[in-house]
Amino acid sequence: PHAGPVESKNEAAMSELVPEPRQKPVVPMKPMGINANLLGYIGIDTIIEQMRKKTMKTGFDFNIMVVGQSGLGKSTLVNTLFKSQVSRKSSGWNREEKIPKTVEIKAIGHVIEEGGVKMKLTVIDTPGFGDQINNENCWEPIEKYINEQYEKFLKEEVNIARKKRIPDTRVHCCLYFISPTGHSLRPLDLEFMKHLSKVVNIIPVIAKADTMTLEEKTEFKQRVRKELEVNGIEFYPQKEFDEDLEDKTENDKIRQESMPFAVVGSDKEYQVNGKRVLGRKTPWGIIEVENLTHCEFALLRDFVIRTHLQDLKEVTHNIHYETYRAKRLNDNGGLPPMTAETEENHESNL
């Protein structure tokens, strides 16, 4: 007697579940005749090795920008990150030097090699950012620089006879240095990240974290995360760009626990328990840069270089550059505006 209602319930449940798969995109069916049991070795697995050889020959480009007030250790941190003198070492301000009136942008290029892998690293420094009394719109030169690199790439891409490998000067990663006040973000920090989070991958970093106690550091990190969320500022890795569940799980952990990385930079070595370590010497001991109990530098390095470097490049190309490109081509009816030089090139190509 109870079978009727149960069956009707099951039917109702089934009818609710049936329409769902139809809404999903159609996935092509697997070919029925092919299975994994091949009769002999073909060599499909060597494609990975072929790709590796090809990319090893061409090498890699990686462009990292550092932004923040003077004295937060931007140059030192980048030198620590790549374990070499890749960023200009500022000797501090002296009376003969003038503080730059506006933000100056300096790009320094290096070729770093490790294990046979060559990487052309460009460090883009921004001296003068946030150092004035009136810092109104001081992010504009930085935004202009980032867009100029997209424009350069776009112009090369739309050429009729374009290069086989377009030089990549686009900014893949922007480390934004937050002053370790322990209170909250300054309006300048919020304005900068609000304007530039849409055009570049921003990774917020709390500089000189050894000036705060452990409790202050934890509290400050939580407060920064909350302020970024309240102001709708998306930092890298952005939630909407997670490709699958594994990426989402890994990136959620980074977003909720690690960000912003509280770091200490140093390019000086000291002897600790018979080992040479990078660190900062204080009257009460040595702060080891690569020791996770002392600071989160090792987490930042692993994140930027060992796990997410390729993803930073892909998000720059597929999201930020594509957004710029679509807007630029829409505004100009499909092509960048013709200058006298490009018109001559165009005619000669024709």
Side-chain angles (χ1 to χ4, degrees), residues 101-103 128-142 187-188 191-192 195:
K101 286 182 182 176
T102 56
V103 180
F129 177 83
D131 292 347
Q132 304 304 309
I133 294 167
N134 178 10
N135 289 306
E136 195 179 355
N137 298 343
C138 66
W139 56 82
E140 280 179 357
I142 296 170
L188 176 61
E191 280 301 312
F192 176 89
H195 277 84

Side-chain angles (χ1 to χ4, degrees), residues 133-184:
I133 294 167
N134 178 10
N135 289 306
E136 195 179 355
N137 298 343
C138 66
W139 56 82
E140 280 179 357
I142 296 170
E143 190 172 18
K144 186 172 172 252
Y145 178 86
I146 291 166
N147 285 329
E148 274 171 2
Q149 307 320 305
Y150 291 147
E151 183 65 23
K152 255 189 211 174
F153 198 89
L154 177 63
K155 279 183 175 170
E156 285 288 349
E157 216 176 36
V158 297
N159 274 346
I160 294 168
R162 62 183 182 183
K163 293 172 185 170
K164 190 180 174 185
R165 190 163 180 260
I166 299 168
D168 192 359
T169 58
R170 297 168 298 179
V171 181
H172 299 123
C173 170
C174 172
L175 292 180
Y176 188 81
F177 284 68
I178 297 163
S179 190
T181 58
H183 292 288
S184 58

Side-chain angles (χ1 to χ4, degrees), residues 93-109:
W93 180 76
N94 60 48
R95 288 179 190 189
E96 287 131 37
E97 287 177 348
K98 284 183 182 176
I99 297 173
K101 286 182 182 176
T102 56
V103 180
E104 291 176 13
I105 294 170
K106 297 177 180 178
I108 305 159

